[in-house]
């Protein structure tokens, strides 16, 4: 007997008579069709989301498809996986037990909802035909459809080194138009007035309000609760349909507090959804930048799910649910108080700027602030700039390794020419320190020409190796966006001369120069840490920084404060301060980057201002303020 689909055709029928103790027995072939293939066809069609091509008893495939889509209208893009368990037959009627399984939620962390339903089939000639009933999809009553909603998990906090929350759930107010409270014809007018009051794009918000459903709350802006109080309440209340919803969001103490480093949280963008491999869907709240994005999986947790049978009246009946799994906190090495001091120190700087503080003994980043002029860019950790004379600490190490000592006499001339290119000292360089001066004085007073005169005796590769020994120029996976700088191993003569004073193609970030200061203070190559669960690879430069080398460099930096351009730091309370100023011309050479690096006890700091007058005049006061207020 061979079956095609659910029909049966008998190729041969035979009958034999067998004689035995029980008498005669007749044996005949059977042409009864099997209902299981028809049940399996139904299960496959439900799994594929297309039952319209099936033939049903008592209804059309078109009507069945319409009811199918209506029942599953609240399940998003999810479809059930259906298979046949067993089939029982009673004359011309059969019943199929179906296993129904839904895999709901994000890929890799989905939840399984499984149950059984039954499908009825009737025999029509030599075929079985299923009867359509919405209950084949789920345990539904007349008029009900399935609805899937999610309960967002509490996002994990971002903590400082003392486990104090930096980013946590803070009260906010969602402002917008409640379309149920305003006549449809008045929605554009209300949206226009609200957009103007809140100073957001008027045309975009009006279009969004018009496109939203008739019962939608059309969000215009989310404000921290204190900021919401600045909105004129009388003007707000006068707008038809204007409403406010109290809520919480994962936020730092202020809107700009370490934002470029910590990042922001909001609705997933189309690009993030595309790259998430099914982890994100439209409307999901996720990290959009910084640590919030890098560690989103840990911070986001797992969404809770609720499947309900819902009537048109709105009455709901729970069928399945899972509890949300809250996100886990992310502990950083930041010091909440020091980060606050760093933010305050840069608050008045209009140009892009950065301040990074590192603990030399551990490599922990205690503060990494980018000023308001950076406009959300993490100047502190990924800015790429010529470090200017702060790089002379690297040059000093290269010179020490090439036989120089701090007492060696160097020629600090007003200018020096290298293959036709003229170099000079900064404009207010003290004339009393021109001529033959010790190397320590050249560093203390930041004489450019004294070092450039020595460039033939200090190979470019020596600068590269010295930089690596001080943590500059070699990348590491630190667990956050960071730039360690670049020091070319080869350079033409004039470019090599510029490298001696931290210009040419030498590049660094404020973080990288803080690492240089930290390596000098700590006596070994420092690799910075920010996220406590992420162990950064340790530095392995070709030439390890020796304790004796670090000691000599510390003396040079202490001399900058005792006898040179950093003298204004000598009155800062606490252990002696070692420092180095830096100014780097860029662009048309009429603009300058202002730098200053320093160490004091177990603290190393770098300050950078993109457009400044000089290291001591622009970056210096910021550094001094930070050191004084960090005590």
């Amino acid at each position: 007997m061979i079956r095609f689909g659910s029909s049966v055709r008998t190729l041969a029928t035979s009958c034999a008579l067998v004689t035995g103790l029980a008498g005669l027995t007749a044996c005949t072939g059977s042409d009864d069709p099997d209902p299981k293939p028809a049940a399996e066809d139904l299960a496959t069609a439900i799994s594929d989301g297309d039952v319209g091509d099936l033939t049903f008893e008592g209804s059309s495939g078109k009507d069945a498809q319409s009811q199918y889509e209506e029942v599953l209208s609240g399940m998003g893009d999810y479809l059930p996986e259906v298979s046949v368990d067993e089939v029982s037959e009673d004359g011309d009627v059969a019943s199929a037990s179906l296993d129904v399984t839904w895999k709901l939620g994000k890929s890799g962390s989905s939840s399984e909802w499984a149950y059984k339903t039954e499908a009825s089939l009737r025999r029509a000639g030599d075929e079985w035909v299923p009867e359509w009933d919405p209950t084949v999809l789920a345990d539904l009553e007349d008029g009900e459809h399935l609805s899937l909603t999610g309960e967002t998990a509490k996002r994990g906090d971002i903590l400082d080194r003392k486990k104090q929350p930096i980013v946590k759930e803070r009260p906010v107010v969602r402002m917008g138009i409640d379309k149920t409270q305003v006549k449809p014809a008045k929605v554009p007018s209300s949206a226009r007035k609200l957009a103007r009051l809140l100073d957001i794009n008027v045309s975009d918000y009006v279009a969004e309000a018009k496109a939203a459903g008739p019962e939608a709350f059309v969000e215009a802006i989310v404000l921290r609760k204190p900021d919401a109080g600045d909105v004129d309440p009388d003007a707000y209340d006068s707008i038809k349909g204007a409403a406010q919803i109290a809520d919480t969001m994962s936020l730092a103490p202020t809107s700009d507090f370490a934002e470029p480093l910590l990042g922001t949280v909001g609705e997933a963008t189309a690009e993030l959804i595309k790259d998430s491999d099914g982890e994100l869907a439209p409307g999901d709240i996720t990290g959009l930048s910084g640590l919030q994005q890098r560690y989103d999986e840990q911070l986001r947790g797992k969404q809770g799910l609720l499947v309900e049978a819902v009537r048109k009246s709105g009455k709901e009946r729970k069928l399945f649910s899972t509890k949300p799994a809250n996100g886990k906190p992310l502990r950083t090495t930041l010091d909440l108080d020091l980060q606050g001091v760093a933010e305050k120190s840069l608050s008045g700087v209009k140009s892009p700027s950065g301040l990074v503080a590192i603990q030399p003994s551990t490599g922990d980043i205690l503060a990494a602030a980018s000023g308001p002029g950076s406009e959300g860019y993490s100047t502190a950790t990924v800015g790429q700039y010529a470090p200017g004379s702060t790089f002379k600490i690297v040059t000093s190490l290269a010179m020490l390794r090439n036989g120089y000592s701090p007492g060696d006499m160097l020629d600090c001339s007003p200018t020096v020419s290298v293959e036709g290119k003229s170099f000079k000292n900064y404009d207010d360089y003290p004339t009393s320190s021109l001529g033959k001066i010790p190397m320590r004085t050249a560093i203390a007073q930041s004489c450019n020409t004294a070092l450039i005169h020595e460039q033939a005796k200090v190979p470019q590769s020596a600068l590269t190796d010295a930089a690596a020994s001080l943590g500059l120029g070699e990348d590491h996976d630190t667990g956050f966006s960071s730039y360690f700088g670049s020091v070319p191993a080869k350079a033409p003569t004039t470019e090599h001369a510029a490298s001696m004073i931290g210009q040419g193609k030498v590049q660094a970030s404020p973080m990288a120069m803080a690492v240089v200061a930290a390596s000098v203070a700590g006596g070994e190559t420092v690799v910075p840490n920010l996220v406590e669960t992420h162990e950064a690879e340790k530095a392995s430069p070709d030439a390890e920084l020796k304790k004796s080398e670090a000691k000599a460099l510390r003396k040079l930096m202490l001399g900058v404060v005792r006898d040179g351009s950093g003298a204004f730091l000598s009155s800062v309370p606490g252990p002696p301060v070692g420092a180095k100023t830096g100014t780097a011309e860029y662009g048309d050479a009429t603009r300058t980057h202002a730098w200053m690096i320093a160490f004091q006890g177990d603290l190393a700091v770098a300050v950078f201002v993109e457009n400044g007058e000089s290291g001591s005049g622009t970056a210096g006061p910021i550094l001094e303020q930070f050191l004084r207020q960090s005590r």
Side-chain angles (χ1 to χ4, degrees), residues 62-401:
K62 181 179 180 181
D63 289 342
Q65 182 67 28
S66 177
Q67 289 187 33
Y68 175 96
E69 292 176 358
E70 183 178 350
V71 169
L72 269 60
S73 61
M75 296 299 289
D77 294 331
Y78 293 108
L79 292 175
E81 297 177 4
V82 184
S83 62
V84 177
D85 181 16
E86 58 182 5
V87 179
S88 60
E89 183 181 348
D90 184 8
D92 291 340
V93 178
S95 178
S97 175
L98 304 180
D99 290 322
V100 183
T101 303
W102 297 78
K103 292 183 178 179
L104 306 172
K106 314 304 181 186
S107 64
S109 60
S110 61
S111 297
E112 188 174 282
W113 176 35
Y115 53 88
K116 288 183 177 293
T117 62
E118 285 194 0
S120 296
L121 301 96
R122 287 189 176 274
R123 180 172 176 172
D126 61 353
E127 294 185 344
W128 287 93
V129 179
E131 294 181 342
W132 174 255
D133 189 323
T135 59
V136 75
L137 300 173
D139 177 21
L140 297 171
E141 298 175 1
D142 289 344
E144 289 183 330
H145 69 272
L146 296 176
S147 172
L148 171 66
T149 55
E151 181 180 352
T152 303
K154 180 184 180 298
R155 193 170 183 84
D157 295 340
I158 297 181
L159 310 176
D160 82 344
R161 63 193 291 106
K162 302 173 185 175
K163 297 185 179 180
Q164 298 181 94
I166 301 174
V167 178
K168 65 178 182 178
E169 291 293 319
R170 300 179 191 273
V172 297
V173 177
R174 298 183 182 275
M175 297 185 164
I177 297 294
D178 181 354
K179 293 186 70 172
T180 65
Q181 301 300 312
V182 59
K183 294 180 179 179
K186 297 292 185 181
V187 168
S189 174
S190 291
R192 191 173 297 109
K193 291 177 181 177
L194 185 60
R196 288 171 178 164
L197 177 62
L198 299 177
D199 194 25
I200 63 173
N201 187 286
V202 175
S203 59
D204 286 352
Y205 184 62
V206 170
E208 184 180 351
K210 290 168 66 176
E215 298 182 355
F217 171 77
V218 188
E219 187 175 284
I221 197 171
V222 182
L223 297 176
R224 292 167 181 264
K225 190 174 182 180
D227 295 337
D230 295 335
V231 178
D232 185 341
D234 293 332
Y236 199 94
D237 292 343
S238 69
I239 300 173
K240 295 291 185 182
Q244 299 184 13
I245 299 175
D247 201 355
T248 62
M249 282 186 67
S250 187
L251 299 171
T254 64
S255 60
D256 55 359
F257 190 93
E259 179 189 341
L261 184 65
L262 300 175
T264 58
V265 176
E267 283 198 16
T269 63
E271 182 178 1
L272 288 175
I273 293 170
K274 180 181 178 181
D275 295 340
S276 72
D277 193 26
E279 283 292 315
L280 296 173
D284 282 355
I285 301 300
T286 186
L288 302 177
S289 60
L291 297 182
Q292 291 282 14
Q293 182 178 359
R294 173 89 183 238
Y295 298 93
D296 182 66
E297 184 177 351
Q298 172 181 337
L299 293 165
R300 185 175 71 237
K302 183 179 178 182
Q303 184 183 48
L305 301 173
L306 174 63
V307 180
E308 297 174 299
V310 182
R311 291 182 178 273
K312 291 183 179 180
S313 64
K315 187 177 179 180
E316 302 163 344
R317 186 166 57 88
K318 184 172 76 171
L319 299 178
F320 173 76
S321 66
T322 64
K323 292 183 178 180
N326 292 334
K328 296 178 181 178
L330 180 71
R331 189 174 176 184
T332 71
T333 64
L334 293 175
D335 183 293
L336 185 60
D337 295 331
L338 282 183
Q339 181 69 33
V341 172
E343 299 281 347
K344 183 178 179 181
S345 299
L346 296 177
S347 61
V349 182
K350 295 181 180 179
S351 173
S353 59
L355 187 158
V356 177
I358 294 177
Q359 186 177 42
S361 62
T362 62
D364 291 349
I365 295 178
L366 306 178
S370 299
S374 297
E375 298 182 345
Y377 181 71
S378 187
T379 301
T381 63
V382 297
Q384 300 183 24
Y385 303 96
S389 292
T390 57
F391 188 77
K392 288 174 182 174
I393 300 304
V394 174
T395 305
S396 295
L397 177 58
M399 292 175 70
L400 293 173
R401 288 177 172 178

Side-chain angles (χ1 to χ4, degrees), residues 49-70:
D50 184 7
V51 298
D53 290 336
L54 295 181
T55 299
F56 291 97
E57 176 71 22
S59 61
S60 68
K62 181 179 180 181
D63 289 342
Q65 182 67 28
S66 177
Q67 289 187 33
Y68 175 96
E69 292 176 358
E70 183 178 350

Side-chain angles (χ1 to χ4, degrees), residues 14 39 323 545:
S14 62
K323 292 183 178 180
L545 180 64

